[in-house]
Amino acid sequence: MADAADADLEDAVALVTGSTSGIGRATALRLAERGATVLVTGRDETRGREVANAVGNATPAAAAELFLADLADRDAVRDLARRVRERHDRLDLLINNAGTWQGERRLTGEGIEVTFAVNHLAPFLLTNCLVPLLRGSAPARVVTVSSGLHRNADLDLETVVERPDYDGRAAYADSKLANVLFTYELADRLDGAGVSAFAVHPGAIPGTSLAREAGVLSKYLWNAFAYLPDVLAGSVFQGVENGAETVLHAATSPALDGVTGEYVADGEPRRSSDASYDEELQADLWDLSAELTGLPAAVPAVDPLAVD
């Protein structure tokens, strides 16, 4: 790939989850500017069509398709993967960007806490279902948006599924640690396949829709930073465009050609938390995630959609 700032992606197909707002929208538009075919995903059809139209108008070489899906719904994630595979015979970039921060405990229809379901299980399931396309498009990359808050996690696999003692910040931090653990395990399992896996910390981005379902106080504190003077917030918070640039660096930078299993922050690989390198925890989380999503534990060595 060319430099992340001006890579020519005219023949590339990129799927960006949560691309109807915030970092995902900015990432989709930047990919389109480089000529990529961008698969826009989200829950809201109106916003999705607006973004798809903007992506399609970004450059004559670009194209966009809208895929609606609720990532809290396991069947909807599977259906999303099926639709992508039916319409495309290649996938060069998979950017798992969609995320949520819940102010109150909510469970999916399968009885799984929503933060864990959306932030971790959805990327786990979608990625594994799309691995055949990624392998066939090698070199390809999977970029999963994590957070520096993963360093505050205390992930307990015995309680993470239902999380009876709910705390929104802790649930979010645990899900972001799960993103990094997943990335490292995925990199090991795809070793030699030509598919690189990266976890990314895009910075703390005020003004995004991350906390749209958080409690009133959490939402107020999160969004209040959007109004701090740049001189005060600049050392801590980045704008949406800068956050997208970090994601794009992991997705397209030639400096990362042949590299995999890295946590990227501030434009380069960084050391993640000590807990994220726990190989037993990586494997145990993988097995739990496969069980919860109805996948064979051997994924991605086997195609889950071929054995349904």
Side-chain angles (χ1 to χ4, degrees):
M1 293 183 179
D3 184 84
D6 57 4
D8 179 4
L9 301 175
E10 187 171 340
D11 296 324
V13 178
L15 189 157
V16 185
T17 67
S19 45
T20 57
S21 64
I23 294 173
R25 184 184 190 279
T27 299
L29 290 172
R30 294 291 298 278
L31 290 169
E33 289 170 359
R34 293 162 174 77
T37 295
V38 181
L39 312 186
V40 176
T41 73
R43 294 184 300 172
D44 187 293
E45 183 172 5
T46 300
R47 287 194 303 172
R49 295 204 179 281
E50 184 275 323
V51 175
N53 289 337
V55 165
N57 292 332
T59 179
E65 294 181 35
L66 174 62
F67 291 82
L68 296 176
D70 180 358
L71 299 185
D73 183 332
R74 181 175 64 191
D75 291 338
V77 176
R78 283 177 176 269
D79 181 63
L80 170 60
R82 287 192 184 95
R83 285 181 285 145
V84 169
R85 288 175 57 169
E86 287 170 357
R87 297 186 197 181
H88 294 275
D89 59 4
R90 68 178 298 111
L91 183 64
D92 301 271
L93 301 172
L94 171 58
I95 300 178
N96 293 311
N97 163 77
T100 187
W101 178 312
Q102 297 288 320
E104 298 179 355
R105 178 177 179 265
R106 293 176 53 212
L107 301 180
T108 69
E110 291 82 28
I112 300 168
E113 192 276 313
V114 167
T115 306
F116 185 67
V118 172
N119 293 3
H120 168 63
L121 290 180
F124 175 88
L125 176 57
L126 182 62
T127 300
N128 277 295
C129 288
L130 292 177
V131 160
L133 283 187
L134 292 161
R135 276 198 177 111
S137 309
R141 297 187 188 183
V142 178
V143 177
T144 301
V145 178
S146 181
S147 167
L149 286 176
H150 85 276
R151 300 182 188 280
N152 298 336
D154 184 19
L155 183 61
D156 182 351
L157 298 187
E158 296 294 326
T159 61
V160 70
V161 177
E162 297 182 356
R163 207 167 193 102
D165 297 323
Y166 187 77
D167 175 87
R169 181 182 173 89
Y172 183 79
D174 285 353
S175 72
K176 297 292 100 177
L177 173 57
N179 291 154
V180 185
L181 291 162
F182 162 62
T183 294
Y184 293 164
E185 182 71 11
L186 180 69
D188 286 344
R189 289 178 178 238
L190 288 175
D191 184 40
V195 181
S196 296
F198 300 99
V200 170
H201 169 49
I205 314 295
T208 72
S209 59
L210 175 65
R212 62 180 175 267
E213 296 177 40
V216 174
L217 178 59
S218 295
K219 188 181 296 185
Y220 171 79
L221 291 174
W222 182 270
N223 289 326
F225 288 107
Y227 302 100
L228 289 176
D230 289 344
V231 67
L232 181 62
S235 62
V236 178
F237 291 107
Q238 302 182 51
V240 167
E241 290 295 331
N242 285 340
E245 190 61 34
T246 303
V247 175
L248 287 164
H249 177 79
T252 66
S253 174
L256 297 175
D257 285 350
V259 178
T260 190
E262 293 286 355
Y263 174 76
V264 179
D266 299 321
E268 62 183 79
R270 302 277 189 178
R271 181 171 175 82
S272 52
S273 69
D274 290 345
S276 68
Y277 296 103
D278 184 331
E279 294 182 358
E280 183 176 356
L281 184 58
Q282 292 169 14
D284 288 347
L285 175 64
W286 186 282
D287 289 344
L288 175 64
S289 302
E291 178 183 347
L292 292 172
T293 54
L295 298 187
V299 290
V302 297
D303 179 359
L305 296 187
V307 297
D308 277 357

